[in-house]
Amino acid sequence: MKNYSKYPKYLVAVDCIIFGYDIQKKILKLLLVKRSFEPAKGSWSLAGGFVKEKESLDEAASRILRKLTGISNVYMTQSLTYGDTDRDPGARVISTAYYALTGISAIDYELVKDNGAHWRSVDDLPKLIFDHPRMVKKALADLQNLVKVKPVGFELLPEKFTLVQLQELYEAIYQKRIDKRNFRKKILSMGILEKLEEKEKETSKKGAWYYMFNEERYLKLDRNGFSFNLDVS
Amino acid sequence: MKNYSKYPKYLVAVDCIIFGYDIQKKILKLLLVKRSFEPAKGSWSLAGGFVKEKESLDEAASRILRKLTGISNVYMTQSLTYGDTDRDPGARVISTAYYALTGISAIDYELVKDNGAHWRSVDDLPKLIFDHPRMVKKALADLQNLVKVKPVGFELLPEKFTLVQLQELYEAIYQKRIDKRNFRKKILSMGILEKLEEKEKETSKKGAWYYMFNEERYLKLDRNGFSFNLDVS
DNA sequence: TATTTTAAGTGTATTTAATACATTTATTCT
DNA sequence: AGAATAAATGTATTAAATACACTTAAAATA
């Protein structure tokens, strides 16, 4: 090995698994696009794109998300990098997957529509191109593990939410029912939620108190050795 | 976007964080190399290399590990991909980190020496090039989380090991003392260890019974919903 | 051959966390 | 005034985590 010049170079892309939670329908969704270029033009795909010369992988992923949805400052984290030689029939492309968590309501609906993107329930996905099904499967598994040990579920909800809504979110992610009293006992005992003096009155006559996630409080507890854990029955 | 031809291409590399456990000294080590080419020739570095045209990322990582140590069939798993524009001063290089778990004794010592590689204790590492310190830090954190929930610690031990040795391994990874009786109670109650009719007699007069990890048994339990968990006091 | 030395091996009580489970409350609508 | 609806609440039971100290097997030595 003398220098770098004799080594091959490849196209490098990022693909974004954009999770959104539909608080009305209580289902977890993915934002998918119809591919606008060959190969596989017109097929369903994750939002993706090639990495530019002057941006990092993280920046490329943020750019792609922003272009599609109009939002930045979103929880986004790197998943695996896919590098099989034949994963893209057009050329050798190394692609790093990222997954993002966002509230569907926060998103610019017109922009999404103009980009030909659509929200699809995670348990009713269309056929996806290439190895995108693998990417989705992996990201979903990662998400299920992540929400158990980090308070990232809140990223999928509006700023104000009720305990019923929070529980429904966890039920949608875990795909199982949770006991109401145990769930509330556990999450409230952590001391990272703040009760507001305001009720959500759409879904019941009595109304349900709104809560907010107190991030500073969580970070402080975390520094003192507290571990978020919401692995409930 | 019409086709792929107008997008930039980059060098793609893999870097391997090779963990080894020194059963005598009871410390976790990393296999490091002195870089043989510019830039940063002669500096300490992770074992790495560029991805060839006809190999996947996983294959590249395996090849690099095999070339350095002589071993294959090692536990190896992908970590993060590092893609900051200026991470390598020589050129833009996107690098995917992998970490491997191996018993130091299993490794071809001559080959390692010929390659200019050295085992270094994780808590006494030399200055590493580029973003390799970040890679190591991340891999160590991943390892600490992984050994709690998957029986991969055994990959760092010889096939036959004593319960004392197993406990010492966990103590080296977690960097804390563990209660002997609680550790043994927990690991034995899982039913994934097999007691042999043979004792290790080097370190004590009484001798300590050898055990083996029974992988088939673990896989069967795992399929039936059992979760490995070794998060002990 | 009795005694010392060394590390391995063992059990229980206590504390804490997880689970299972049903009724009351606030409000609106009729 | 009564019915309807979803939100809110507490306790007893079970299971898991923790804290803790003495006995045993074998070799070495006196």
Side-chain angles (χ1 to χ4, degrees), chain B residues 81-101:
Chain B
T81 295
Y82 295 80
D84 284 359
T85 52
D86 57 355
R87 56 173 295 280
D88 184 325
R92 176 139 197 202
V93 181
I94 312 288
S95 183
T96 299
Y98 280 79
Y99 66 93
L101 305 182

Side-chain angles (χ1 to χ4, degrees), chain A residues 180-181 184-185 203-209:
Chain A
K180 192 182 194 174
R181 280 169 291 186
R184 293 163 93 102
K185 197 194 316 173
T203 47
S204 86
K205 293 159 187 169
K206 184 178 179 180
W209 293 107

Side-chain angles (χ1 to χ4, degrees), chain B residues 21-28 168 172:
Chain B
Y21 179 62
D22 186 330
I23 201 167
Q24 267 82 42
K25 293 188 182 150
K26 304 170 192 177
I27 51 182
L28 194 61
E168 286 165 351

Side-chain angles (χ1 to χ4, degrees), chain A residues 19-37:
Chain A
F19 288 107
Y21 179 61
D22 185 329
I23 202 167
Q24 268 82 40
K25 293 190 182 148
K26 304 169 191 175
I27 50 181
L28 193 61
K29 293 184 170 183
L30 281 187
L31 189 56
L32 302 176
V33 300
K34 285 224 165 170
R35 214 167 126 99
S36 61
F37 54 99

Side-chain angles (χ1 to χ4, degrees), chain B residues 180-181 184-185 203-206 209:
Chain B
K180 194 183 194 174
R181 282 171 288 190
R184 293 163 95 103
K185 198 192 315 172
T203 48
S204 87
K205 294 159 185 168
K206 183 177 181 180
W209 293 106

Side-chain angles (χ1 to χ4, degrees), chain A residues 136-197:
Chain A
V136 169
K137 206 173 158 188
K138 169 70 177 159
L140 247 176
D142 285 352
L143 176 62
Q144 289 184 337
N145 288 319
L146 190 67
V147 293
K148 282 179 195 165
V149 297
K150 279 199 176 167
V152 295
F154 307 113
E155 306 286 342
L156 290 159
L157 290 172
E159 204 174 8
K160 299 186 293 186
F161 51 85
T162 69
L163 293 182
V164 172
Q165 290 170 336
L166 184 62
Q167 178 175 343
E168 286 166 349
L169 167 67
Y170 272 84
E171 289 178 337
I173 295 173
Y174 291 150
Q175 299 281 13
K176 70 169 183 185
R177 295 303 313 276
I178 299 171
D179 180 88
K180 192 182 194 174
R181 280 169 291 186
N182 293 341
F183 179 82
R184 293 163 93 102
K185 197 194 316 173
K186 195 154 187 186
I187 188 74
L188 288 176
S189 73
M190 292 185 197
I192 59 176
L193 294 188
E194 219 163 273
K195 188 176 177 176
L196 306 182
E197 288 306 318

Side-chain angles (χ1 to χ4, degrees), chain B residues 150-215:
Chain B
K150 279 201 176 167
V152 295
F154 307 112
E155 307 285 342
L156 290 159
L157 291 172
E159 203 173 10
K160 297 185 296 185
F161 51 84
T162 70
L163 293 183
V164 173
Q165 291 171 335
L166 184 63
Q167 180 176 342
E168 286 165 351
L169 168 67
Y170 273 84
E171 290 178 337
I173 295 174
Y174 292 148
Q175 299 279 19
K176 68 169 185 185
R177 297 302 315 274
I178 299 171
D179 180 86
K180 194 183 194 174
R181 282 171 288 190
N182 293 341
F183 179 83
R184 293 163 95 103
K185 198 192 315 172
K186 194 152 187 187
I187 188 74
L188 288 175
S189 74
M190 293 185 196
I192 59 177
L193 295 187
E194 220 163 273
K195 189 178 180 178
L196 305 182
E197 287 307 318
E198 188 188 354
K199 277 186 167 181
E200 188 275 328
K201 311 266 307 183
E202 305 276 299
T203 48
S204 87
K205 294 159 185 168
K206 183 177 181 180
W209 293 106
Y210 274 123
Y211 287 79
M212 279 180 71
F213 171 52
N214 186 331
E215 190 168 16

